[in-house]
Amino acid sequence: MSKASSSSPSRIELVATDRRLTDSNMKPATRGTKEHAPANSQASQLDHGPLGERLGYILRRAQLAIFEDFIAACDRFDIRPGQYSVLTVIEQNPGFSQTKVAEALGIKKTNFVAMVDAFENRGLVRRAAMPGDRRSYALFLTDAGKALMRKLHRVAEQHEQRIIDRIGPLMHKRMFSALAAIAGMSGDTKQDD
Amino acid sequence: MSKASSSSPSRIELVATDRRLTDSNMKPATRGTKEHAPANSQASQLDHGPLGERLGYILRRAQLAIFEDFIAACDRFDIRPGQYSVLTVIEQNPGFSQTKVAEALGIKKTNFVAMVDAFENRGLVRRAAMPGDRRSYALFLTDAGKALMRKLHRVAEQHEQRIIDRIGPLMHKRMFSALAAIAGMSGDTKQDD
DNA sequence: TTTCAATCGTTATGTTGGATAACCGTTATA
DNA sequence: TATAACGGTTATCCAACATAACGATTGAAA
């Protein structure tokens, strides 16, 4: 076997979703290691074993699902989650420099350039002269940008409500502190160069 | 302004981390829209506004932090989160085909090829002939693969304990159901071609 | 049994989020 | 005033993930 060898090693990040298979020709050799999870006839396909006990695993899956929902919701505005976060920070902090805004979101300033370019080309963000420092730009939302944000915030709230409907307002509220605590695991910080 | 124009539009996904700035030349123009969050002198830099109320936002940040911790923990084994999940599923379901395993994890079979190649080259996984079907391969962990998994599972458990230490066993337990519910938002499924 | 559709693994290729290195103009500091 | 630090930018590179298409094989229909 192994006609393989391929080209690049290529790592895949995890990704996961449930799927059922109505197959018949299953369990070719269910011997070897096997002691975890219960049955898996036609429910959720293969046995994920201890993965179901790894918070990081389901956290990742949940994050993907949430993004998928948000992406779909913002699709008609051609806005992605990361873009929404950038516009929101600019909206909340008008006049700050690219570096500051990028840092606030953990985005490398080098990758932030193209983002701002796109926003500027779409007439959503304005790069103004930073008074007192000719090196930096002061970022502002244009009127069009502000108008878009009003719509986006509404969409985001509906999106949030969809989540609340799933887990209940209490759990929704509780999650924040827990997730915030987890987010602080890596001692935070980890920005630009 | 806008010497910009750059090359590719390039979207950035979100990413975020807190950072503090001890600057002095701040608040260039804190007028415009501004009504959310409180002070942000030197604490957590800029105001994230409503982002702090978006579960998806902190969920994403938490997921990144968890992965960072797990990645660091598995670094000496040269294993990434996605690889751990693949090996785990193969371990739990020996003898299944590439397509089945890939599907179980939401990985496109096309991208799965290189992954299995890498595992095979490292002597962790074996592609065996699938009895009764010369099209597919039956995947198995080699002895080396099983040995590695024993170590990885231990590392993963320690990693999990680190999370529990942060949010407490009760919250840790509660999170699973909530996250599972969220993960099911997109009606699950969303695999291969 | 011949034919055609579906499957499995594979290659080639494109896209996006994200990381590094290096550079220029500007500002701050020794 | 020399020099280090900073802000924005470009050029690159990598990893995760997606699509199209193909050969070999198998299954189902005629």
mmCIF file with all atom_site columns, all heavy atoms in Angstrom, chain A residues 34 64 135 140 158 169 185:
data_model
loop_
_atom_site.group_PDB
_atom_site.id
_atom_site.type_symbol
_atom_site.label_atom_id
_atom_site.label_alt_id
_atom_site.label_comp_id
_atom_site.label_asym_id
_atom_site.label_entity_id
_atom_site.label_seq_id
_atom_site.pdbx_PDB_ins_code
_atom_site.Cartn_x
_atom_site.Cartn_y
_atom_site.Cartn_z
_atom_site.occupancy
_atom_site.B_iso_or_equiv
_atom_site.pdbx_formal_charge
_atom_site.auth_seq_id
_atom_site.auth_comp_id
_atom_site.auth_asym_id
_atom_site.auth_atom_id
_atom_site.pdbx_PDB_model_num
ATOM 1  N N   . LYS A 1 34  ? -10.012 -0.818 22.036 1.00 0.00 ? 34  LYS A N   1
ATOM 2  C CA  . LYS A 1 34  ? -11.441 -0.546 22.022 1.00 0.00 ? 34  LYS A CA  1
ATOM 3  C C   . LYS A 1 34  ? -12.000 -0.716 23.409 1.00 0.00 ? 34  LYS A C   1
ATOM 4  O O   . LYS A 1 34  ? -12.155 -1.827 23.887 1.00 0.00 ? 34  LYS A O   1
ATOM 5  C CB  . LYS A 1 34  ? -12.129 -1.523 21.051 1.00 0.00 ? 34  LYS A CB  1
ATOM 6  C CG  . LYS A 1 34  ? -13.584 -1.234 20.791 1.00 0.00 ? 34  LYS A CG  1
ATOM 7  C CD  . LYS A 1 34  ? -13.741 -0.191 19.688 1.00 0.00 ? 34  LYS A CD  1
ATOM 8  C CE  . LYS A 1 34  ? -15.199 0.054  19.378 1.00 0.00 ? 34  LYS A CE  1
ATOM 9  N NZ  . LYS A 1 34  ? -15.366 1.055  18.325 1.00 0.00 ? 34  LYS A NZ  1
ATOM 10 N N   . LEU A 1 64  ? -17.037 26.700 15.476 1.00 0.00 ? 64  LEU A N   1
ATOM 11 C CA  . LEU A 1 64  ? -17.249 26.604 14.031 1.00 0.00 ? 64  LEU A CA  1
ATOM 12 C C   . LEU A 1 64  ? -18.722 26.795 13.700 1.00 0.00 ? 64  LEU A C   1
ATOM 13 O O   . LEU A 1 64  ? -19.074 27.493 12.749 1.00 0.00 ? 64  LEU A O   1
ATOM 14 C CB  . LEU A 1 64  ? -16.765 25.247 13.514 1.00 0.00 ? 64  LEU A CB  1
ATOM 15 C CG  . LEU A 1 64  ? -15.266 25.060 13.424 1.00 0.00 ? 64  LEU A CG  1
ATOM 16 C CD1 . LEU A 1 64  ? -14.931 23.645 12.979 1.00 0.00 ? 64  LEU A CD1 1
ATOM 17 C CD2 . LEU A 1 64  ? -14.667 26.072 12.455 1.00 0.00 ? 64  LEU A CD2 1
ATOM 18 N N   . ARG A 1 135 ? 3.438   59.498 11.134 1.00 0.00 ? 135 ARG A N   1
ATOM 19 C CA  . ARG A 1 135 ? 3.680   58.090 10.800 1.00 0.00 ? 135 ARG A CA  1
ATOM 20 C C   . ARG A 1 135 ? 2.373   57.307 10.732 1.00 0.00 ? 135 ARG A C   1
ATOM 21 O O   . ARG A 1 135 ? 2.174   56.460 9.866  1.00 0.00 ? 135 ARG A O   1
ATOM 22 C CB  . ARG A 1 135 ? 4.562   57.428 11.874 1.00 0.00 ? 135 ARG A CB  1
ATOM 23 C CG  . ARG A 1 135 ? 5.998   57.822 11.848 1.00 0.00 ? 135 ARG A CG  1
ATOM 24 C CD  . ARG A 1 135 ? 6.720   57.230 13.040 1.00 0.00 ? 135 ARG A CD  1
ATOM 25 N NE  . ARG A 1 135 ? 6.128   57.620 14.319 1.00 0.00 ? 135 ARG A NE  1
ATOM 26 C CZ  . ARG A 1 135 ? 6.618   57.252 15.499 1.00 0.00 ? 135 ARG A CZ  1
ATOM 27 N NH1 . ARG A 1 135 ? 7.655   56.444 15.562 1.00 0.00 ? 135 ARG A NH1 1
ATOM 28 N NH2 . ARG A 1 135 ? 6.041   57.663 16.597 1.00 0.00 ? 135 ARG A NH2 1
ATOM 29 N N   . PHE A 1 140 ? -11.260 55.955 11.202 1.00 0.00 ? 140 PHE A N   1
ATOM 30 C CA  . PHE A 1 140 ? -12.631 56.368 11.503 1.00 0.00 ? 140 PHE A CA  1
ATOM 31 C C   . PHE A 1 140 ? -13.601 55.605 10.625 1.00 0.00 ? 140 PHE A C   1
ATOM 32 O O   . PHE A 1 140 ? -13.265 55.225 9.499  1.00 0.00 ? 140 PHE A O   1
ATOM 33 C CB  . PHE A 1 140 ? -12.809 57.867 11.220 1.00 0.00 ? 140 PHE A CB  1
ATOM 34 C CG  . PHE A 1 140 ? -11.999 58.754 12.106 1.00 0.00 ? 140 PHE A CG  1
ATOM 35 C CD1 . PHE A 1 140 ? -10.788 59.280 11.663 1.00 0.00 ? 140 PHE A CD1 1
ATOM 36 C CD2 . PHE A 1 140 ? -12.433 59.066 13.384 1.00 0.00 ? 140 PHE A CD2 1
ATOM 37 C CE1 . PHE A 1 140 ? -10.027 60.110 12.480 1.00 0.00 ? 140 PHE A CE1 1
ATOM 38 C CE2 . PHE A 1 140 ? -11.688 59.906 14.211 1.00 0.00 ? 140 PHE A CE2 1
ATOM 39 C CZ  . PHE A 1 140 ? -10.477 60.428 13.753 1.00 0.00 ? 140 PHE A CZ  1
ATOM 40 N N   . GLN A 1 158 ? -29.464 39.306 16.773 1.00 0.00 ? 158 GLN A N   1
ATOM 41 C CA  . GLN A 1 158 ? -30.359 38.209 16.425 1.00 0.00 ? 158 GLN A CA  1
ATOM 42 C C   . GLN A 1 158 ? -29.590 36.888 16.484 1.00 0.00 ? 158 GLN A C   1
ATOM 43 O O   . GLN A 1 158 ? -30.099 35.872 16.955 1.00 0.00 ? 158 GLN A O   1
ATOM 44 C CB  . GLN A 1 158 ? -30.928 38.428 15.014 1.00 0.00 ? 158 GLN A CB  1
ATOM 45 C CG  . GLN A 1 158 ? -31.841 39.641 14.922 1.00 0.00 ? 158 GLN A CG  1
ATOM 46 C CD  . GLN A 1 158 ? -32.127 40.038 13.480 1.00 0.00 ? 158 GLN A CD  1
ATOM 47 O OE1 . GLN A 1 158 ? -31.517 39.506 12.548 1.00 0.00 ? 158 GLN A OE1 1
ATOM 48 N NE2 . GLN A 1 158 ? -33.049 40.976 13.300 1.00 0.00 ? 158 GLN A NE2 1
ATOM 49 N N   . PRO A 1 169 ? -30.793 31.476 28.660 1.00 0.00 ? 169 PRO A N   1
ATOM 50 C CA  . PRO A 1 169 ? -30.156 32.728 29.085 1.00 0.00 ? 169 PRO A CA  1
ATOM 51 C C   . PRO A 1 169 ? -29.189 32.560 30.254 1.00 0.00 ? 169 PRO A C   1
ATOM 52 O O   . PRO A 1 169 ? -28.156 33.221 30.318 1.00 0.00 ? 169 PRO A O   1
ATOM 53 C CB  . PRO A 1 169 ? -31.344 33.619 29.460 1.00 0.00 ? 169 PRO A CB  1
ATOM 54 C CG  . PRO A 1 169 ? -32.455 32.672 29.731 1.00 0.00 ? 169 PRO A CG  1
ATOM 55 C CD  . PRO A 1 169 ? -32.245 31.535 28.780 1.00 0.00 ? 169 PRO A CD  1
ATOM 56 N N   . MET A 1 185 ? -5.965  31.712 29.700 1.00 0.00 ? 185 MET A N   1
ATOM 57 C CA  . MET A 1 185 ? -5.019  30.618 29.969 1.00 0.00 ? 185 MET A CA  1
ATOM 58 C C   . MET A 1 185 ? -3.593  30.938 29.559 1.00 0.00 ? 185 MET A C   1
ATOM 59 O O   . MET A 1 185 ? -2.676  30.805 30.341 1.00 0.00 ? 185 MET A O   1
ATOM 60 C CB  . MET A 1 185 ? -5.455  29.348 29.239 1.00 0.00 ? 185 MET A CB  1
ATOM 61 C CG  . MET A 1 185 ? -6.439  28.497 29.994 1.00 0.00 ? 185 MET A CG  1
ATOM 62 S SD  . MET A 1 185 ? -6.726  26.929 29.152 1.00 0.00 ? 185 MET A SD  1
ATOM 63 C CE  . MET A 1 185 ? -5.298  25.960 29.670 1.00 0.00 ? 185 MET A CE  1
#
